[in-house]
Amino acid sequence: MRSSDWPDDVPRTWETFLDTPASQTLEDSNVVIVPVPYDSTTSFRSGARHGPRAAITASKQLEEWDIELERDVSTVGIYTTQEIEPHTGGPEAMIERVRQVAAHFIEQGKLVALLGGEHTITLGGVAAALKRHPDLTVLYLDAHADLRNEYMGSRWSHACVARRLHESAPVVQVGVRSMSQDEARFISAKDVPVFTWPPSGDIERLAANVIERLGTKVYVSVDLDVLDPSIMSAVGTPEPGGMTWSDATNLLRLVSKSSKVIGLDVVELSPNEGPEACAFTSAKLLYKLIGYATMRDPRRP
């Protein structure tokens, strides 16, 4: 007689994105979500280490059917890995750990989605993607320029992520509404394409200008503080005057139609700093991004 660890007719829940059961294997999945509970360099309100688990818990309440895309996005196969254990040796060591994990799944042809955690983890995801796609460009949605060369004694701080990315790949920034004078000088000197917020025209005009500066292959990084605090207060460094939900999703949809999304991340959810609605919003934004990234070919890779 075959033994089982659970009665067949009793439902149960799983600690995975969308409450995906264990029967959803890595081999059957085209998208891999990697939770990264890390916030070592946070400088204001800590707690982003709790973001991945909060977003995954909230994702169990998502409907798989996407009204806008008119399809069940989950049919692409979404696999949730175990959390990456934080490395206490410093941000460089953690970035390398993230790179190793992302590269492991990219080599299998998976679309890797990092779920943070602080923005520093993006450096590992982009480094892994660049190894396979050297012509990659990065779309960087953030309220802050993150172009400091050093912050609080570290070149690998969350405030230096875009600067480090700029050293290895073209970066296009959108949603910026806070920067230092040194960052402003760097932007001018290096001609970094930075689209501050609010934009001068409508979202379609903005998207066209952004797409013009992106390549055919794009890594999308979304710091949740790019959204206005009225809908996303649960972040470490909130900044007033940000994007609405429709601003962000319309931009991401138009970019995904024009360029192939090679990798992505959603970072900086600090769930204790806002209502639970913020965790749900972050989960839905990640699901939207997966939907946009796979709308060209739902049978990725």
Side-chain angles (χ1 to χ4, degrees):
M1 180 178 178
R2 184 176 64 87
S3 62
S4 175
D5 66 343
W6 195 265
D8 291 337
D9 57 348
V10 179
R12 53 178 154 173
T13 61
W14 306 87
E15 289 305 311
T16 57
F17 195 81
L18 291 181
D19 196 25
T20 305
S23 58
Q24 177 68 54
T25 65
L26 177 62
E27 290 73 22
D28 295 332
S29 304
N30 291 315
V31 179
V32 175
I33 293 177
V34 182
V36 192
Y38 180 76
D39 63 356
S40 178
T41 76
T42 300
S43 55
F44 184 28
R45 305 194 302 184
S46 62
R49 70 187 68 181
H50 305 300
R53 194 162 297 182
I56 287 171
T57 298
S59 75
K60 298 178 183 183
Q61 309 305 318
L62 286 171
E63 295 287 1
E64 287 89 349
W65 181 259
D66 188 291
I67 295 173
E68 176 193 12
L69 299 176
E70 296 185 321
R71 67 183 177 95
D72 180 346
V73 175
S74 70
T75 58
V76 300
I78 300 174
Y79 182 83
T80 309
T81 72
Q82 295 169 318
E83 295 179 348
I84 299 181
E85 181 180 82
H87 198 306
T88 59
E92 280 186 272
M94 188 61 190
I95 291 164
E96 173 57 19
R97 185 169 282 183
V98 173
R99 187 203 64 77
Q100 289 177 8
V101 173
H104 174 77
F105 294 112
I106 289 172
E107 288 165 7
Q108 299 176 52
K110 309 298 184 182
L111 173 65
V112 176
L114 301 179
L115 183 56
E118 66 170 64
H119 214 157
T120 307
I121 69 170
T122 299
L123 292 167
V126 171
L130 275 170
K131 184 72 174 178
R132 186 157 182 161
H133 305 282
D135 53 344
L136 190 72
T137 53
V138 181
L139 175 61
Y140 195 90
L141 272 61
D142 200 311
H144 309 89
D146 289 352
L147 286 166
R148 297 172 188 265
N149 190 47
E150 180 182 291
Y151 190 64
M152 297 178 70
S154 174
R155 297 178 73 250
W156 306 98
S157 163
H158 69 98
C160 307
V161 176
R163 181 71 168 261
R164 300 286 82 81
L165 288 173
H166 183 268
E167 293 168 354
S168 58
V171 180
V172 179
Q173 296 184 269
V174 182
V176 175
R177 49 196 190 274
S178 177
M179 68 178 70
S180 68
Q181 185 176 25
D182 285 344
E183 287 173 304
R185 288 171 176 160
F186 181 82
I187 290 167
S188 178
K190 301 296 183 179
D191 196 25
V192 182
V194 176
F195 295 87
T196 57
W197 203 261
S200 57
D202 60 26
I203 200 70
E204 287 76 16
R205 179 180 174 185
L206 170 68
N209 289 330
V210 170
I211 289 166
E212 193 176 299
R213 289 161 176 79
L214 292 171
T216 57
K217 298 177 183 178
V218 176
Y219 183 103
V220 178
S221 179
V222 180
D223 185 328
L224 290 165
D225 67 24
V226 77
L227 299 173
D228 192 76
S230 61
I231 61 170
M232 181 53 65
S233 58
V235 292
T237 47
E239 189 72 34
M243 286 184 171
T244 65
W245 173 261
S246 60
D247 289 333
T249 55
N250 285 338
L251 173 64
L252 293 169
R253 184 187 72 255
L254 292 168
V255 167
S256 300
K257 278 185 175 181
S258 175
S259 302
K260 184 175 182 180
V261 177
I262 298 302
L264 58 98
D265 62 60
V266 175
V267 299
E268 295 287 358
L269 174 66
S270 188
N272 294 335
E273 300 298 333
E276 282 201 53
C278 292
F280 185 85
T281 298
S282 68
K284 186 149 189 171
L285 186 58
L286 176 58
Y287 194 53
K288 274 287 188 185
L289 253 175
I290 292 171
Y292 295 149
T294 58
M295 65 184 175
R296 287 178 156 204
D297 183 3
R299 301 164 299 170
R300 286 184 66 127

